[in-house]
Amino acid sequence: MKERISAKNSTARYGYIVLVLLCLGITMPNFAQYQITGFGKEAISRFLGRELSDSQFSLVNMSPLIPGVFLSLVSGLLVDRFGPRKVITTGVVLSALGVVLRVGLDSYGTIIASMILMGVCATFLNANGPKVLGTWFAPGKASILLGVFLAIANISMALGTGIVAVFDTVHSAFLCAAIVAVIVALLWIVFMRDNKNAPEGVKAETPAEKVPIIECIKICAGSKGVWLAAFCMMCICTATVGATQFLPTALQSRGVSKETASLCGMCITIGATIGCLISPTLSTILKQPKKWMFVGGLLAAAGAAFAWRITSVPVMVVCLTITGFLTSGFSPIINSLPLSLKEIGPRYAGTAGGFIATIQLVGNVVLPTYVICNIVGNNNYNGMFICFGALMLIFCVLCIFLPLESKKA
């Protein structure tokens, strides 16, 4: 009896080490990616030695999301079958390689290639974060810790955006990111483990018990909740990432200094960090998660569209922070939804997460770069941010149909 209790406590403790590794893993690519955002279009254009349009700058910035379009579902299927350690550690190493290679590249094509490689790790973690936490913790606890993971993801974005003011050159900032990437990859190789004591149906199956890939896909594709979660996440993340990506450049077009613009760019991600930690709990307290998301989504739509135009910097900072809180704060609630769906649960959470991430990232890459930029035209930041606000209005409609039960008092 004592041995079982000791083993259970040991498993719980190591689960928190895995949580730390997840947080470090998502920090590495996000920090490196958002350095591009912090420097803005003009600085990156000078670094590459060529003028970039808004669409080209968006593609450079969004390149790490491209692997998600093609690998999210694949990574979920692999993790469901073989466990997180081998699959995700491979992704971490590949991303670290991309960050390191970026230091020596200075052309448009090669930097996009290195940043695509850099995004493999984030793809694997975003798709399988709920699954990994579900193998180490009970569903309720996993949902709360997923909020911590997403909060750290936002902190790393804010850090990558804001820290550029410390560096004299783009090259020195890229070198700092490369050092961080190597350290994170080594920690994953040494310390990452699969939970061999996970409940049945959660851990990777033995060869005789593996569920066919087609069956995994059919189950997830047939779930209304998974589809709704996917399109909700697409709207939220496209609005948030798009606004964060273009905010420093848009503010500099208004005459705001690079340093102030970079710090303002941190506001959305700082708000998002707080939202990831507080919003799930707030939703539980209010006992009306869908109403909370609907009202918050309306406010976020207004913030995404118009907050950047506020002339008073302190007021703008407050409004941008609130916008980030209201947008990304809903992510833990939606991302953890598959764990509570009867047809999905922890067993198929990896595949469901990959399914959601694929649709989400298709929107993240395609909408800002190929749709919004082309609709509003080059340097039309007013129209661009209005489009980001419109995405949050679409989210407000979709969230009404999410299979989330209101809790009675």
Side-chain angles (χ1 to χ4, degrees):
M1 179 70 171
K2 290 182 178 179
E3 290 179 355
R4 286 199 298 271
I5 294 174
S6 177
K8 186 176 181 180
N9 291 336
S10 178
T11 297
R13 286 194 298 270
Y14 208 88
Y16 287 102
I17 294 176
V18 172
L19 174 64
V20 171
L21 290 174
L22 290 175
C23 292
L24 290 174
I26 201 64
T27 293
M28 179 255 288
N30 283 355
F31 174 75
Q33 176 185 356
Y34 278 80
Q35 288 178 323
I36 301 286
T37 300
F39 277 109
K41 184 175 70 173
E42 298 305 319
I44 299 301
S45 295
R46 289 193 298 271
F47 175 73
L48 297 177
R50 58 169 290 174
E51 192 67 29
L52 297 177
S53 67
D54 285 337
S55 181
Q56 289 171 327
F57 177 67
S58 178
L59 182 59
V60 171
N61 216 331
M62 290 298 196
S63 292
L65 304 183
I66 292 175
V69 176
F70 303 100
L71 298 179
S72 291
L73 182 56
V74 173
S75 71
L77 289 165
L78 291 174
V79 168
D80 278 346
R81 288 168 65 86
F82 303 113
R85 183 178 183 271
K86 293 180 180 178
V87 179
I88 302 180
T89 301
T90 300
V92 172
V93 172
L94 289 174
S95 289
L97 179 61
V99 179
V100 172
L101 289 176
R102 188 180 66 165
V103 176
L105 303 175
D106 59 0
S107 70
Y108 179 67
T110 54
I111 200 170
I112 286 178
S114 69
M115 292 188 70
I116 288 174
L117 187 61
M118 192 171 77
V120 174
C121 169
T123 293
F124 286 16
L125 289 172
N126 286 328
N128 297 287
K131 167 78 174 187
V132 175
L133 292 172
T135 64
W136 288 93
F137 301 98
K141 185 74 170 178
S143 178
I144 294 172
L145 295 179
L146 181 62
V148 175
F149 167 73
L150 294 173
I152 296 298
N154 285 293
I155 289 174
S156 62
M157 295 177 193
L159 189 60
T161 302
I163 204 172
V164 298
V166 176
F167 297 100
D168 295 329
T169 65
V170 173
H171 182 270
S172 61
F174 285 180
L175 181 60
C176 173
I179 294 170
V180 171
V182 171
I183 293 172
V184 170
L186 290 174
L187 289 173
W188 264 78
I189 292 169
V190 173
F191 293 106
M192 182 58 185
R193 298 286 184 273
D194 290 331
N195 185 6
K196 296 180 180 179
N197 298 316
E200 291 299 323
V202 176
K203 59 186 176 183
E205 294 88 350
T206 63
E209 298 170 329
K210 289 177 184 175
V211 179
I213 290 175
I214 298 300
E215 181 179 336
C216 292
I217 295 174
K218 284 177 64 177
I219 290 172
C220 293
S223 171
K224 176 185 174 183
V226 170
W227 280 99
L228 284 168
F231 283 107
C232 281
M233 288 303 300
M234 183 182 73
C235 292
I236 289 173
C237 291
T238 303
T240 306
V241 173
T244 304
Q245 167 185 252
F246 280 102
L247 183 60
T249 301
L251 292 177
Q252 288 178 57
S253 73
R254 282 180 40 198
V256 177
S257 69
K258 186 188 82 170
E259 292 75 17
T260 301
S262 295
L263 291 174
C264 288
M266 295 175 63
C267 295
I268 293 178
T269 46
I270 289 172
T273 301
I274 300 170
C276 287
L277 293 171
I278 295 178
S279 186
T281 303
L282 184 60
S283 174
T284 301
I285 293 172
L286 295 174
K287 300 180 176 63
Q288 298 286 340
K290 288 197 282 190
K291 289 183 179 179
W292 159 233
M293 285 192 284
F294 182 81
V295 174
L298 291 177
L299 296 174
F306 304 114
W308 75 282
R309 298 177 60 189
I310 297 172
T311 54
S312 171
V313 173
V315 175
M316 178 174 61
V317 164
V318 171
C319 291
L320 289 172
T321 303
I322 293 173
T323 299
F325 176 93
L326 291 171
T327 52
S328 293
F330 304 133
S331 297
I333 303 171
I334 298 171
N335 269 322
S336 61
L337 178 63
L339 290 170
S340 63
L341 294 176
K342 184 178 180 180
E343 68 273 21
I344 304 296
R347 184 179 183 86
Y348 300 105
T351 304
F355 193 91
I356 292 169
T358 298
I359 294 175
Q360 169 193 323
L361 290 166
V362 166
N364 289 176
V365 174
V366 172
L367 291 180
T369 304
Y370 298 108
V371 178
I372 293 176
C373 284
N374 288 327
I375 288 174
V376 303
N378 204 41
N379 297 321
N380 181 5
Y381 299 114
N382 185 46
M384 187 180 295
F385 279 81
I386 287 175
C387 288
F388 296 144
L391 286 171
M392 289 306 302
L393 292 178
I394 295 173
F395 162 76
C396 290
V397 176
L398 293 175
C399 76
I400 296 172
F401 302 99
L402 285 170
L404 291 169
E405 294 183 2
S406 300
K407 297 180 181 179
K408 297 180 180 180

